[in-house]
Amino acid sequence: MNLRYVVPASLLISSILFTGCAKNNAEPALNKSTTSETVATNTNPSQSTASPDLQPAIDQYRSYVIEQCDLFVKETEKFTTAVKKGNLEEAKALYAPTRMYYERIEPIAEALGDLDPNIDARDGDVDPSEWRGFHHIEKALWEDGTTKGEEEVADQLLKDAQLLRAKVETVDINASMLVTGAVELLNEVSSSKVTGEEERYSHTDLYDFAANVEGAAKIYELLKPELQKKDADLEKDIGERFASLQKELAPFKVNDAYVSYEVLKEDQIRKLSQTLDALAEPLSNMGTILGV
Amino acid sequence: MEQDKQNDVQSNLMLNKKLSRRDMLRLAGVGGVGLLLGGGAIGSILSSEIKTKSSPSTSLNQDPDSIPFYGAHQAGIITPSQNFICFAAFDVIADNVSDIRKMFQKWTTASASIASGSLIGNVNDNPNLPPSDTGEAAELSPSRCTITFGVGPSLFDARFGLQNKRPPSFQELPLFKADSLEPEWCGGDLCVQVCADDLQVAFHAIRNLARIARGTAVLRWTQEGFQRSAQADPKSATPRNLLGFKDGTANPDATDSTLMNEVVWSQSIDGTSWMTGGSYMAVRRVRMRIEVWDRSTLSDQENTFGRHRHTGAPLGSKDEFDTLKLDEVDSKGQPVIPTNSHVALAHGDGSIQMLRRSYSYSSGMDLKTGQLDAGLLFISFQRDLQKQFIPIQQRLANNDLLNEYAVHKGSAVFACFPGTTEGGFIGETLFGRI
């Protein structure tokens, strides 16, 4: 998603952090400083540039994003509390399921400046002095087998999660973001989850994998009625291929938990990757509903 | 005359024939495409351009760098070898013939565009969609690109109900002596052989066909290959393999259509109607032990091949194309051409022929040994694998001196369909027009 919010973080933080409803405060500031070619500049989301038929989908997606964000903050609080209390096993158990709320809406978070690296950077993604967030704690939990020394990181992570929740209100979602966001979610899987690089200590990559796919499926579900009108074959194709991918993933889920990525054999990984590519190809043509 | 040409050009345009990328540029350069669409008074601008490029009776599409995709036979079989190959074997992941048929229909349309140098598909300007052509061959010459499709014996297993369509003599090759096959270089439900005088053009074809296949078929293995280019060898001498020897001297004459019907093209009397006009391909990935070869003496090398390295002539002869004299003996009564040399065994009694169309390959380094992973992507076309490739390869596998320097790592066979005409699709004889 080619969104570049150039709002200085300090400005936003001062105005919206910890406020219950940040929308009214933040929106004017945001709209003055966004780059106009990628983001619609109108202040009222209901006056989007998208065709009016897509507005219900956009509104529903906004609700979905906020709902996921709410749950994300809630679960992150449980996770960081476990870390701070030194409950190693509880923290490990909460780690992957908590992240799923984030992974479902990752492209939206990525559109919000530094939030994504602060929450989700892997070792080596950022300067070591700035590295924090989930993967910092992941390394401590699995590699070092301790929660010690992660207390501050945990506090910061919760704050970052809350900031995400506050900022997400301000994102002006348009139809194009929906369409590209769905593909981006699958690209996330292709480029880091399939390779097992995302969760290099916990090997919980399949949780992220599944969550990214669920996030893309949500967008498809919302756009389905319009897509059906515009290109029924394409809609059918995408639906079938989501089903194939779910079918490929299913055997790796046992009692609501995904198996460790280390268990997967090379040919199983390749099959997952190719099934994902098979889905992403028609999915990338959903933009057809946007016209020319 | 001049008027005829103008009409020719215009009627081509009226018929909505696809312009090649180059034609488009040429036309755009002289008058703008917009003018063309308006028809009318464009002749004078166009004709001066066309005159230098084509004879009066030819259309825009007859570019010497463009080999027609449509025809009785698929191109890329008896077509003179291009500089490069991109070969891909695919496995079908769909569970029904209908999906395969649809893919071949799309493959055919895309291939015809590629062969004529046009962009694939018609969604290349919509900002909201990924372009239907990936673009790396835009504005390039078609570079004599040919795309040849085939199906492997595994396609005729129980998955698609095609068991009864398998030609009786078409099955996986037997294991030959000294084969050292690795599964990652073997087999495939389908094959696509792309050859072109430009590697980027060839890659573009494989990439786009793999893209179109997504959801229906997945890549199983791929190999790129090369020969000396026409630029490096303007006289088009017989190409040399990576061991430094001429390879292909004894190939049958592909311009002799009677001979091709005997050696290469499947005939109706062969009993498999969907293959009439097609050909069977054997492909072997032969790793050469380059380092070992490089430290063997010239006489060892020449005895291994049975030919002189410099001229390509059979040992004891002067000219590359001199007749093989396998019964000739030296003063000690020893055969001049060793009986277990490559040329002696490949020739046998001379009764069996096949059309070879191989390329050299270089795939970087073998990480285990630090040696070059290079060799030959052997490809041959024949009317019947059982009667042609297999007996020849059996002779070679059992005794060939070359086996010390070459090891077969990959193997596959494919039944390459007959050609098709515009409106039809490659594979229609097997999958049916529905």
Side-chain angles (χ1 to χ4, degrees), chain A residues 220 227 233-243 279 282-286:
Chain A
Y220 158 69
L227 195 55
D233 285 345
L234 180 65
E235 188 277 306
K236 186 168 161 272
D237 234 11
I238 297 173
E240 285 172 1
R241 292 186 189 183
F242 262 119
L279 163 64
L283 195 76
S284 71
N285 283 305
M286 281 203 310

mmCIF file of all heavy atoms in Angstrom, chain A residues 220 227 233-243 279 282-286:
data_model
loop_
_atom_site.group_PDB
_atom_site.id
_atom_site.type_symbol
_atom_site.label_atom_id
_atom_site.label_comp_id
_atom_site.label_asym_id
_atom_site.label_seq_id
_atom_site.Cartn_x
_atom_site.Cartn_y
_atom_site.Cartn_z
ATOM 1 N N TYR A 220 -12.175 -10.003 0.457
ATOM 2 C CA TYR A 220 -12.869 -10.658 -0.659
ATOM 3 C C TYR A 220 -14.360 -10.819 -0.365
ATOM 4 O O TYR A 220 -15.210 -10.520 -1.222
ATOM 5 C CB TYR A 220 -12.205 -12.006 -0.951
ATOM 6 C CG TYR A 220 -13.087 -12.988 -1.682
ATOM 7 C CD1 TYR A 220 -13.451 -12.777 -3.015
ATOM 8 C CD2 TYR A 220 -13.565 -14.125 -1.038
ATOM 9 C CE1 TYR A 220 -14.269 -13.679 -3.676
ATOM 10 C CE2 TYR A 220 -14.384 -15.030 -1.694
ATOM 11 C CZ TYR A 220 -14.738 -14.797 -3.006
ATOM 12 O OH TYR A 220 -15.554 -15.688 -3.656
ATOM 13 N N LEU A 227 -18.036 -7.718 -7.090
ATOM 14 C CA LEU A 227 -17.206 -8.505 -7.995
ATOM 15 C C LEU A 227 -18.071 -9.437 -8.840
ATOM 16 O O LEU A 227 -17.841 -9.617 -10.035
ATOM 17 C CB LEU A 227 -16.198 -9.309 -7.166
ATOM 18 C CG LEU A 227 -15.012 -9.932 -7.897
ATOM 19 C CD1 LEU A 227 -14.234 -8.885 -8.671
ATOM 20 C CD2 LEU A 227 -14.092 -10.641 -6.913
ATOM 21 N N ASP A 233 -16.922 -14.939 -13.222
ATOM 22 C CA ASP A 233 -15.919 -16.011 -13.314
ATOM 23 C C ASP A 233 -14.766 -15.763 -12.353
ATOM 24 O O ASP A 233 -14.275 -16.670 -11.686
ATOM 25 C CB ASP A 233 -15.364 -16.100 -14.738
ATOM 26 C CG ASP A 233 -16.356 -16.743 -15.688
ATOM 27 O OD1 ASP A 233 -17.325 -17.354 -15.184
ATOM 28 O OD2 ASP A 233 -16.169 -16.629 -16.913
ATOM 29 N N LEU A 234 -14.350 -14.515 -12.327
ATOM 30 C CA LEU A 234 -13.235 -14.153 -11.445
ATOM 31 C C LEU A 234 -13.629 -14.378 -9.989
ATOM 32 O O LEU A 234 -12.863 -14.936 -9.196
ATOM 33 C CB LEU A 234 -12.843 -12.690 -11.676
ATOM 34 C CG LEU A 234 -11.685 -12.164 -10.824
ATOM 35 C CD1 LEU A 234 -10.390 -12.880 -11.152
ATOM 36 C CD2 LEU A 234 -11.509 -10.650 -11.025
ATOM 37 N N GLU A 235 -14.836 -13.964 -9.661
ATOM 38 C CA GLU A 235 -15.321 -14.123 -8.287
ATOM 39 C C GLU A 235 -15.326 -15.593 -7.898
ATOM 40 O O GLU A 235 -14.858 -15.976 -6.820
ATOM 41 C CB GLU A 235 -16.730 -13.503 -8.186
ATOM 42 C CG GLU A 235 -17.273 -13.425 -6.766
ATOM 43 C CD GLU A 235 -17.895 -14.728 -6.320
ATOM 44 O OE1 GLU A 235 -18.781 -15.239 -7.033
ATOM 45 O OE2 GLU A 235 -17.480 -15.238 -5.271
ATOM 46 N N LYS A 236 -15.768 -16.433 -8.804
ATOM 47 C CA LYS A 236 -15.849 -17.872 -8.549
ATOM 48 C C LYS A 236 -14.444 -18.461 -8.375
ATOM 49 O O LYS A 236 -14.173 -19.241 -7.468
ATOM 50 C CB LYS A 236 -16.569 -18.527 -9.729
ATOM 51 C CG LYS A 236 -16.855 -19.997 -9.547
ATOM 52 C CD LYS A 236 -17.835 -20.487 -10.634
ATOM 53 C CE LYS A 236 -17.784 -21.997 -10.772
ATOM 54 N NZ LYS A 236 -16.766 -22.482 -11.720
ATOM 55 N N ASP A 237 -13.575 -18.052 -9.269
ATOM 56 C CA ASP A 237 -12.179 -18.498 -9.223
ATOM 57 C C ASP A 237 -11.539 -18.205 -7.866
ATOM 58 O O ASP A 237 -10.914 -19.065 -7.257
ATOM 59 C CB ASP A 237 -11.401 -17.715 -10.296
ATOM 60 C CG ASP A 237 -10.674 -18.642 -11.236
ATOM 61 O OD1 ASP A 237 -10.944 -19.854 -11.181
ATOM 62 O OD2 ASP A 237 -9.845 -18.147 -12.020
ATOM 63 N N ILE A 238 -11.706 -16.971 -7.431
ATOM 64 C CA ILE A 238 -11.096 -16.559 -6.161
ATOM 65 C C ILE A 238 -11.685 -17.374 -5.014
ATOM 66 O O ILE A 238 -10.959 -17.880 -4.164
ATOM 67 C CB ILE A 238 -11.306 -15.045 -5.920
ATOM 68 C CG1 ILE A 238 -10.597 -14.230 -6.998
ATOM 69 C CG2 ILE A 238 -10.807 -14.645 -4.535
ATOM 70 C CD1 ILE A 238 -10.877 -12.731 -6.948
ATOM 71 N N GLY A 239 -13.002 -17.537 -5.027
ATOM 72 C CA GLY A 239 -13.664 -18.304 -3.982
ATOM 73 C C GLY A 239 -13.133 -19.729 -3.906
ATOM 74 O O GLY A 239 -12.803 -20.241 -2.835
ATOM 75 N N GLU A 240 -13.003 -20.355 -5.071
ATOM 76 C CA GLU A 240 -12.512 -21.738 -5.113
ATOM 77 C C GLU A 240 -11.084 -21.834 -4.600
ATOM 78 O O GLU A 240 -10.709 -22.788 -3.929
ATOM 79 C CB GLU A 240 -12.583 -22.277 -6.547
ATOM 80 C CG GLU A 240 -13.993 -22.622 -6.972
ATOM 81 C CD GLU A 240 -14.096 -22.983 -8.450
ATOM 82 O OE1 GLU A 240 -13.051 -22.987 -9.152
ATOM 83 O OE2 GLU A 240 -15.218 -23.244 -8.902
ATOM 84 N N ARG A 241 -10.307 -20.827 -4.937
ATOM 85 C CA ARG A 241 -8.892 -20.916 -4.549
ATOM 86 C C ARG A 241 -8.663 -20.572 -3.079
ATOM 87 O O ARG A 241 -7.726 -21.081 -2.477
ATOM 88 C CB ARG A 241 -8.055 -20.062 -5.494
ATOM 89 C CG ARG A 241 -8.064 -20.699 -6.884
ATOM 90 C CD ARG A 241 -7.174 -20.032 -7.854
ATOM 91 N NE ARG A 241 -7.404 -20.552 -9.197
ATOM 92 C CZ ARG A 241 -6.708 -20.177 -10.257
ATOM 93 N NH1 ARG A 241 -5.756 -19.276 -10.119
ATOM 94 N NH2 ARG A 241 -6.961 -20.687 -11.430
ATOM 95 N N PHE A 242 -9.523 -19.743 -2.532
ATOM 96 C CA PHE A 242 -9.483 -19.565 -1.073
ATOM 97 C C PHE A 242 -9.777 -20.913 -0.415
ATOM 98 O O PHE A 242 -9.107 -21.321 0.536
ATOM 99 C CB PHE A 242 -10.515 -18.529 -0.608
ATOM 100 C CG PHE A 242 -9.934 -17.153 -0.399
ATOM 101 C CD1 PHE A 242 -10.382 -16.069 -1.140
ATOM 102 C CD2 PHE A 242 -8.927 -16.939 0.549
ATOM 103 C CE1 PHE A 242 -9.843 -14.796 -0.956
ATOM 104 C CE2 PHE A 242 -8.389 -15.670 0.736
ATOM 105 C CZ PHE A 242 -8.846 -14.605 -0.016
ATOM 106 N N ALA A 243 -10.783 -21.604 -0.958
ATOM 107 C CA ALA A 243 -11.158 -22.903 -0.392
ATOM 108 C C ALA A 243 -9.992 -23.891 -0.486
ATOM 109 O O ALA A 243 -9.704 -24.616 0.470
ATOM 110 C CB ALA A 243 -12.389 -23.445 -1.111
ATOM 111 N N LEU A 279 -3.898 -18.526 -5.675
ATOM 112 C CA LEU A 279 -4.957 -17.639 -5.197
ATOM 113 C C LEU A 279 -4.626 -16.172 -5.480
ATOM 114 O O LEU A 279 -5.481 -15.398 -5.928
ATOM 115 C CB LEU A 279 -5.166 -17.847 -3.693
ATOM 116 C CG LEU A 279 -5.941 -16.760 -2.939
ATOM 117 C CD1 LEU A 279 -7.382 -16.687 -3.445
ATOM 118 C CD2 LEU A 279 -5.941 -17.032 -1.440
ATOM 119 N N PRO A 282 -5.522 -14.557 -9.328
ATOM 120 C CA PRO A 282 -6.830 -13.963 -9.611
ATOM 121 C C PRO A 282 -7.199 -12.860 -8.612
ATOM 122 O O PRO A 282 -7.846 -11.883 -8.982
ATOM 123 C CB PRO A 282 -7.808 -15.136 -9.513
ATOM 124 C CG PRO A 282 -7.099 -16.194 -8.743
ATOM 125 C CD PRO A 282 -5.640 -15.998 -9.014
ATOM 126 N N LEU A 283 -6.769 -12.999 -7.371
ATOM 127 C CA LEU A 283 -7.098 -11.983 -6.371
ATOM 128 C C LEU A 283 -6.557 -10.611 -6.795
ATOM 129 O O LEU A 283 -7.176 -9.579 -6.545
ATOM 130 C CB LEU A 283 -6.519 -12.378 -5.003
ATOM 131 C CG LEU A 283 -7.082 -11.606 -3.810
ATOM 132 C CD1 LEU A 283 -8.481 -12.101 -3.468
ATOM 133 C CD2 LEU A 283 -6.173 -11.722 -2.598
ATOM 134 N N SER A 284 -5.398 -10.641 -7.463
ATOM 135 C CA SER A 284 -4.791 -9.368 -7.876
ATOM 136 C C SER A 284 -5.610 -8.693 -8.969
ATOM 137 O O SER A 284 -5.344 -7.548 -9.327
ATOM 138 C CB SER A 284 -3.351 -9.598 -8.338
ATOM 139 O OG SER A 284 -3.323 -10.272 -9.577
ATOM 140 N N ASN A 285 -6.589 -9.406 -9.499
ATOM 141 C CA ASN A 285 -7.445 -8.796 -10.525
ATOM 142 C C ASN A 285 -8.762 -8.260 -9.974
ATOM 143 O O ASN A 285 -9.625 -7.824 -10.735
ATOM 144 C CB ASN A 285 -7.704 -9.801 -11.643
ATOM 145 C CG ASN A 285 -6.500 -9.925 -12.558
ATOM 146 O OD1 ASN A 285 -6.020 -8.938 -13.100
ATOM 147 N ND2 ASN A 285 -5.990 -11.134 -12.707
ATOM 148 N N MET A 286 -8.902 -8.280 -8.662
ATOM 149 C CA MET A 286 -10.119 -7.717 -8.061
ATOM 150 C C MET A 286 -10.282 -6.233 -8.385
ATOM 151 O O MET A 286 -11.373 -5.693 -8.325
ATOM 152 C CB MET A 286 -10.107 -7.893 -6.537
ATOM 153 C CG MET A 286 -10.500 -9.282 -6.082
ATOM 154 S SD MET A 286 -11.134 -9.338 -4.381
ATOM 155 C CE MET A 286 -9.910 -8.448 -3.445
#
